[in-house]
Each structure stands twice: as structure tokens, then as C-alpha cells.
Amino acid sequence: MVPFRKVESAMQVTFSGAPLYTCPMHPEVEQAEPGSCPICGMVLELAVTSSASAGETENAELRDMSRRFWLAAFFTLPLIIVSMGDLLPGRPISGLFSARARVLLELALATPVCVWSAWPFYVRAVLSVANRSLNMFTLIGLGVSVAYTYSLAAALAPEIFPISFRGEAGGVAVYFEAAGTIVTLILLGQVLELRARSQTNAAIKQLLGMAAKSARRIQDDGTEEDVPLDHVQVGDHLRVRPGEKVPVDGIVLEGTSSVDESMVTGEPMPVQKESGDQVVGATINGIGGLVMRAEKVGADTLLSRIVTMVAEAQRSRAPIQKLTDIVAGYFVPAVLAIAVMTFVVWSWVGPEPRMAHALINAVAVLIIACPCALGLATPMSIMVATGKGATIGILFRNAEAIEIMRKVDTLVVDKTGTLTEGRPKLVSLVPAHGRHDDELLLLAASLERGSEHPLAAAIVNGAEEKNVALADVQNFASITGKGVKGRVQNRDVALGNRALLNELGVDPGPLAERAEALRADGQTVMFVVVDGALAGLVGVADPIKESTPEAIRNLHAEGIRIVMLTGDSRTTAHAVAAKLGIEDVIAEMLPDQKVEIVKDLQTEGHIVAMAGDGINDAPALAQAQVGIAMGTGTDVAMESAAVTLVKGDLRAIARARRLSRSTMANIKQNLFFAFIYNAAGVPIAAGVLYPVFGLLLSPIIAAAAMSASSISVIGNALRLRGAKV
């Protein structure tokens, strides 16, 4: 067994020159080699950082489990057909094989499944005992090994069993199909879990791929050269050409341009940059050229910190102890103790043959306590719930998300793309006196058709929606940081901000007050000038989703506190919040600041869900107890979140909470069904009724009870499909 260590924080332990493997359920467990967690038995993950690649060992484990699953499925299907052949119409299996041949065929089919496919479960079960941390793998290993070993003995040496345990044909019942089915179902769950975990590493790789691959460094003698990004040092002067990614974090020394910072702020509006302004690595430069000084490189850049925060938040998230693990902590030792007591008592005071009766009754105790139904209790409900959620546009990444969703009392939401549509739209046309809307839109959209700015696209799209035919433009020119101008229909037209008006010497007059009112409403305002006179205003904004007001009302009705975090300006943020009735608003936030807000709320004792759609939301999504991504957002956000709303509709959050409550109630009912048979059957299997009534519970009856409990669990779980959420 590989030695492991427990630490307070993953940042306190490093392994020089070696990767670090940690448990997603128990992040305090870390070791320098791949393996299984000594506490819960889960496969350890490679701890991904901003300088590491992810997932090779994870993929190897997935490949291994997949091979074991497919082999198990290949042999288990015919095993079930052979063992259940008498239940088929016409009993075709009985005509093909004798009773003895059927038993030996079942043995041949079950052996690869219960030996090779189930081998990892036996290893983890042994480790759970060695580490004194009984878990589900203890139950799985115990149940499979007992069912298989007992059946093996019954198949190869039936003469050791008393006559009272023989069937009409004189044979002893075997339970190979139960052991094989348990192994196959559990392997399927392992494969699905490993696939989900590997997708998280893929999201981190995607983040790493957003960084620039090289930088253009300006030498002291004025010459320039392209250098790999890891060769850039603090203080280097770098040139950022139009359309290139900013290589590292730094400060602009020369030039003016607009930079798309949506990967950092989540806002679609490019930000004007000039000398003295800060720029962030991996953001995209617009049409202007910049010269910058590198201030933060390598692991210190904002992108690297985002990667690190996502990885650490995923590893440090407090696990939710599964109900089955809690029960197993008491159930497994109790069953073992009862089995041992049964063997001792029967071998001491039982009727002859004492040892045979002692062995058979002890096995009956273990078989009726076989965790088949217990193993199905949670997965069946989760599988049905995830299917139910998918039909209503809610995708759960794991069982933990379903379990904790019902406990959420605080929802932190991003603005752009979450509360709003995330796409700028033309929302206002304010013509000056004597002008008309169509004329104003025609001139503005025709001029903006030659611009690459996102606001220009919104104006052009607005004209197309209104079926306004655009005109040709001559002498088009872009004035960086101010606007555009050109000649449309033999008129000189200019469109831009207040700085453009000042440059042209145009007085906004009474429209200045109107422009300020539109800004307070969350709009970006542009002035339209025609032949030197103000022709009107154009307002572009990111509109609130139609479903958002109802969603906010529903969440408030459930007693959930809503906190809006956004990288947008305070004016726009408070304007949106006022429309939606959101009181807690924090604006102009960077990704690391969003994480701190989530941490502060968690420190206060709140169960926090975070809803967002952008790369900038990924660290906070990972930090929250439940991260909720908009299906209309980025892949990184969705891979960092535990829940994805396919349609990006926040109303689904309230439905997800109701589904969570129904699912957890269903799981508790399943656990009741899983144990009610055991509670009644274990004492009988131990022989408590024998002194009075002379009754013993045959392993055949024990297996029937075990099957009945499984059927009850499956039937109850399927009821979730009709749950009203």
C-alpha cells in the first residue's frame, strides 16, 4: 500500500519533481503515486495546477474499469438467462442442460466476473478493513465474495451441505447470478463516475489553452523578436498587434485600442485601453496596436490563478457523507458479529452435524445481508432523478449536487448571460426634433456596418430586424476610443460617445439629460451626428431574459437570498438589480474577488449555489457548494459546475430544488426497503426461531428476500419519473 499523509491544506504539501494525487471526497489525503483513497476507496485524482497537464492516470483508470465492465456485461447477460431459464416460456434452458450442467455453466460464466472484473473491489475492501474505515467497498467486497464463495462450494462440493438445504433434485442452490449482477452494476457506476471526473480535467486544460503561445518582445536596441511565453520576464516590453492575445498581465506604455476582456469580466463590451491602463493575459486586442510592460508572468498571471482556483476549489469542496456509508459503518460490523455469533452458537449447542449447520446458518446471515439492495438504493434514485432532470433541462454532474441542492439558502448570480441574455441589442432610438426613427437607424446602421465593434453588430442586427435597407458608405474612418464617421447618402455622418461630440464641436443640448437617463437604465449610449448637427441617440444594452423576473420571484418565495455579482459597472448593475428586486449587489468584481465573496458567505454558515455562464465565473462555480452553469454559456463554466441549466433559464433552479427534495426522500425510502428484509431475515437466518418452531432460513429464502428488497428499491425509484417538480 502506498503511504499517504493527511494535511490541513493541499498547499502545505508538495512532492519535489513528482505529481500530487488527492482524493476528491477526502482532500486531506495526498500521495505521490496513483492509487485508491484509504478512507473511501475512491481512485485518487492527479491534482492539476496551472503548470501541469491533467488526466493521464485518470484515463488509465477509466480504461481499466471500462474493460472490466464490458467483460462483466458480456458474461453476466448469458449468466442471467441460464440461471433464470426456468422462468422463460417453455423452459427452453431445461431442455438443453441437466441440472448439474447448468450449475457448472453458471460457475464458468460467473468466475471471470467475480474474480477478474471484481478484483479492484476486493482490494479496496481489504484496504478498508486494514485502515479501519469500513465503506461501500467493504459491503461490495463482502457481498460478492460471500455469494460467489458459497455458490462455488455448493457447485463443487454439494455433499458438505445438509439434506435440509437441498432441492427436490438433491442439489444445493447457487447464487452466481446475484454476484455477477452486483459486480456489473457497480462497475457501470464506476465508469460513469470516472468519465465525469475526467471532463473536469478537460475543462482545466481548456483554460490553459486560452493563454497566448508566444510574445513579441522589444529589445533594448529597438529590434523585436517572438519568444515563448515562459521566456517572458517581469519588466519586458512587449508589442501586442491588432487581433492578438495579450501575452501576460501588464501595463500599457504606448498606443490605444479596445480589448475584449470577456474571459475575465464576463462582459461583452470591449474596454478602451491607453497608456497607464492595466491589461490581462489571454484577453484579445482589438484593431489598435499596444506596447506594454510585463508585470506578472507564469503562475502569477490572472489566467494561471483562475486555473489554480478552479482546481483547488474542486479538491477542497467538503464532501457530503452518503447515507449508505453512514449506515455501513454500523451495519457491516453488526452483520459480521451476528454471523460469527451464529457460527459459534450452532457449532457449540446445535444439532448434528453441528459444524455443517453452523457454516450454513452463518452463510445465510451473510447472504440475506448482501448489500445488493443497499448498493441500488442510492444509484437507482440518482439515475432516475438525473433522467428526470434532463427531460426538464437540468443536468446534474453528480449525486452530491442532487443531495445538497435542497439545502441551498443563498444563490449568488452573475449578471451577464445569467440574468441577462449576454448579447448586446439595440434597445433605444431617440431622434432629435425633426428626425425620424427609421432615418436615424438607417444612417447609424449603415455607418456601423463597416465597424468590427460588438456594439456596431448590435445596431446592424437591430436594423435587419426592422427590415431597414442599409446604404453604402464612403470615406469610412474609425476614431479609436471615440467612434466612427463616414459619408452616407451624400451626408456626413458620425456616431460615437461624448468625446466624439467634443471633437466635432457639437453641443448635445437637451439630449444630454436623456442620454444620462438611458445610462442609468443600463444602456450604452451613442450620439449620431449628421452634417455637423446632432440627429439623435442610439442606446444598446444587454436585455434581461424574459424568464428572469419570474425566476427571481420563485426563488424569493422559497426563502432564498439572492446576491448579484458582476464585473459590470455599478450604474448598470444597480439598474438591472432594481428591475428584478435584487437587494444584494456587488459590482466591478474580478474572478478572484467573486471567489472571496462565496467563501465569506460559506464562512457565515450559508449553503451557497453560484450561477454563471462565463470563464470568469469558473472559480466561484467550483468554490460554491453547488455550481450552476447556463447551458448557453462557455464550456469551461459548464465543466466547472455541478449543475447545468440547458436552456439558461433560472426558473429551473427552483425545479432543481424540488427534484432534490423528492430524490432524497426517495433514497431514504429505498434504504428502508433495503433493510426491512434484513431486519426481519437476519435473526431468522441466525436461528432464533429454531428452538421454538424448529424453523431455519434457508439460503434460498435469504436470496429470495434479497431479490425482493432489490425489486422494491427499483420500483420505488422509478416512481420519481412521475414526480411533479
Side-chain angles (χ1 to χ4, degrees):
M1 178 178 141
V2 178
F4 72 95
R5 63 184 77 186
K6 294 185 179 182
V7 295
E8 295 299 323
S9 169
M11 297 301 292
Q12 293 179 333
V13 174
T14 59
F15 293 86
S16 177
L20 180 66
Y21 295 87
T22 184
C23 175
M25 293 293 290
H26 299 90
E28 70 274 14
V29 175
E30 297 181 341
Q31 65 185 43
E33 298 178 14
S36 300
C37 174
I39 299 176
C40 66
M42 291 182 65
V43 176
L44 298 181
E45 290 182 343
L46 179 63
V48 182
T49 66
S50 60
S51 60
S53 62
E56 292 305 317
T57 300
E58 184 88 3
N59 291 337
E61 180 68 21
L62 175 58
R63 287 193 297 270
D64 179 64
M65 284 294 180
S66 296
R67 286 195 297 265
R68 294 179 188 274
F69 164 71
W70 287 115
L71 182 139
F74 179 80
F75 283 101
T76 299
L77 181 58
L79 173 62
I80 294 174
I81 294 175
V82 171
S83 63
M84 302 297 180
D86 290 342
L87 301 179
L88 299 176
R91 303 178 67 180
I93 302 298
S94 299
L96 294 176
F97 306 102
S98 65
R100 180 63 178 169
R102 279 179 58 181
V103 170
L104 295 178
L105 179 58
E106 289 183 37
L107 170 60
L109 292 170
T111 298
V113 179
C114 297
V115 176
W116 186 78
S117 292
W119 186 255
F121 303 148
Y122 300 144
V123 173
R124 296 176 195 180
V126 171
L127 288 176
S128 71
V129 175
N131 292 304
R132 300 179 182 178
S133 180
L134 302 183
N135 51 49
M136 275 301 299
F137 288 105
T138 315
L139 296 173
I140 294 167
L142 178 64
V144 173
S145 61
V146 167
Y148 176 74
T149 304
Y150 170 82
S151 300
L152 181 66
L156 299 181
E159 64 276 2
I160 69 172
F161 295 91
I163 296 177
S164 59
F165 287 94
R166 298 176 184 273
E168 294 180 0
V172 179
V174 294
Y175 310 100
F176 290 119
E177 79 286 353
T181 302
I182 292 171
V183 172
T184 304
L185 290 176
I186 294 170
L187 281 171
L188 175 60
Q190 290 289 296
V191 169
L192 296 177
E193 177 187 333
L194 288 169
R195 283 182 179 174
R197 287 162 58 185
S198 66
Q199 290 174 1
T200 301
N201 285 338
I204 297 178
K205 284 185 176 181
Q206 184 177 353
L207 275 174
L208 292 171
M210 291 181 177
K213 301 299 184 290
S214 63
R216 190 164 186 82
R217 184 164 58 192
I218 302 175
Q219 306 295 342
D220 293 339
D221 60 2
T223 60
E224 300 179 6
E225 65 172 344
D226 291 326
V227 298
L229 201 62
D230 55 3
H231 288 186
V232 177
Q233 298 180 359
V234 174
D236 284 352
H237 288 196
L238 309 173
R239 184 177 300 280
V240 186
R241 291 168 290 193
E244 289 184 337
K245 290 182 179 181
V246 177
V248 295
D249 298 359
I251 295 177
V252 176
L253 299 177
E254 300 175 13
T256 303
S257 183
S258 58
V259 177
D260 180 359
E261 295 187 335
S262 59
M263 61 81 59
V264 176
T265 65
E267 301 306 317
M269 312 295 187
V271 180
Q272 189 67 23
K273 298 293 183 181
E274 56 188 22
S275 180
D277 290 339
Q278 293 184 342
V279 287
V280 178
T283 56
I284 302 175
N285 186 27
I287 59 175
L290 299 174
V291 175
M292 61 172 290
R293 182 177 66 244
E295 296 289 330
K296 294 181 180 179
V297 300
D300 293 330
T301 63
L302 182 59
L303 178 64
S304 294
R305 284 163 34 218
I306 289 176
V307 173
T308 301
M309 282 187 291
V310 171
E312 289 183 356
Q314 290 173 340
R315 294 200 304 268
S316 63
R317 181 182 296 154
I320 301 172
Q321 187 67 37
K322 299 292 189 298
L323 291 175
T324 49
D325 286 338
I326 295 175
V327 173
Y330 298 96
F331 177 69
V332 176
V335 170
L336 289 173
I338 293 172
V340 170
M341 290 175 58
T342 300
F343 184 86
V344 170
V345 171
W346 277 90
S347 62
W348 180 30
V349 297
E352 295 294 343
R354 292 179 180 178
M355 293 303 297
H357 281 96
L359 176 62
I360 293 303
N361 287 319
V363 167
V365 169
L366 290 175
I367 284 187
I368 200 169
C370 183
C372 184
L374 179 61
L376 289 173
T378 298
M380 279 300 302
S381 295
I382 295 300
M383 289 171 64
V384 176
T386 52
K388 172 75 173 179
T391 62
I392 57 176
I394 304 170
L395 302 180
F396 291 98
R397 177 175 296 279
N398 50 43
E400 288 82 2
I402 298 178
E403 185 171 355
I404 201 171
M405 191 69 197
R406 76 195 197 282
K407 300 179 182 179
V408 169
D409 59 22
T410 302
L411 174 65
V412 177
V413 292
D414 177 50
K415 178 182 73 67
T416 304
T418 304
L419 299 175
T420 66
E421 294 183 2
R423 295 182 298 274
K425 288 186 178 181
L426 176 66
V427 293
S428 297
L429 287 171
V430 184
H433 181 69
R435 303 280 185 177
H436 299 285
D437 287 359
D438 289 346
E439 176 194 15
L440 185 66
L441 183 56
L442 167 64
L443 296 173
S446 297
L447 186 61
E448 286 284 38
R449 185 165 54 174
S451 174
E452 298 178 354
H453 199 284
L455 298 183
I459 296 173
V460 173
N461 291 337
E464 292 176 350
E465 291 175 0
K466 295 179 180 294
N467 296 319
V468 174
L470 304 185
D472 294 332
V473 179
Q474 291 83 36
N475 303 325
F476 175 83
S478 176
I479 307 172
T480 303
K482 297 179 181 180
V484 294
K485 62 181 181 179
R487 192 163 179 80
V488 183
Q489 294 182 338
N490 296 321
R491 287 179 283 183
D492 292 325
V493 181
L495 182 146
N497 55 24
R498 185 64 179 268
L500 179 63
L501 288 188
N502 294 336
E503 181 177 303
L504 298 175
V506 177
D507 184 4
L511 288 183
E513 184 176 344
R514 178 62 172 158
E516 188 60 31
L518 293 178
R519 292 191 190 96
D521 192 41
Q523 299 183 34
T524 298
V525 179
M526 289 161 284
F527 297 90
V528 181
V529 178
V530 179
D531 292 333
L534 187 62
L537 306 176
V538 176
V540 174
D542 186 8
I544 295 173
K545 294 178 182 178
E546 293 183 1
S547 61
T548 298
E550 180 184 351
I552 298 300
R553 290 194 299 270
N554 292 343
L555 292 169
H556 278 152
E558 292 213 5
I560 296 179
R561 175 189 177 188
I562 300 177
V563 180
M564 186 174 82
L565 299 185
T566 178
D568 208 346
S569 67
R570 288 183 172 83
T571 300
T572 303
H574 283 280
V576 172
K579 292 180 181 179
L580 296 174
I582 299 176
E583 297 180 357
D584 296 322
V585 183
I586 307 175
E588 300 177 1
M589 302 293 293
L590 292 176
D592 53 346
Q593 295 172 319
K594 290 185 179 183
V595 171
E596 291 304 319
I597 295 297
V598 172
K599 287 182 178 179
D600 289 344
L601 291 169
Q602 291 171 329
T603 301
E604 294 172 4
H606 295 289
I607 306 298
V608 180
M610 167 70 188
D613 77 321
I615 297 169
N616 61 301
D617 300 316
L621 289 171
Q623 175 62 40
Q625 277 98 338
V626 179
I628 304 173
M630 302 294 107
T632 52
T634 64
D635 291 340
V636 172
M638 287 184 278
E639 297 296 349
S640 301
V643 180
T644 297
L645 308 183
V646 176
K647 298 179 181 179
D649 188 343
L650 286 178
R651 291 177 296 186
I653 295 179
R655 303 185 74 181
R657 281 171 53 82
R658 292 193 289 270
L659 181 57
S660 172
R661 287 194 291 266
S662 298
T663 303
M664 294 313 299
N666 191 268
I667 289 174
K668 293 177 181 178
Q669 294 163 2
N670 284 348
L671 290 174
F672 170 79
F673 286 122
F675 283 104
I676 188 64
Y677 296 94
N678 293 332
V682 167
I684 299 175
V688 296
L689 298 182
Y690 185 79
V692 179
F693 301 102
L695 295 178
L696 289 176
L697 184 62
S698 166
I700 298 175
I701 304 301
M706 183 177 63
S707 299
S709 64
S710 298
I711 293 172
S712 300
V713 164
I714 294 172
N716 186 60
L718 292 177
R719 291 193 311 109
L720 272 175
R721 293 185 297 184
K724 293 182 179 181
V725 295

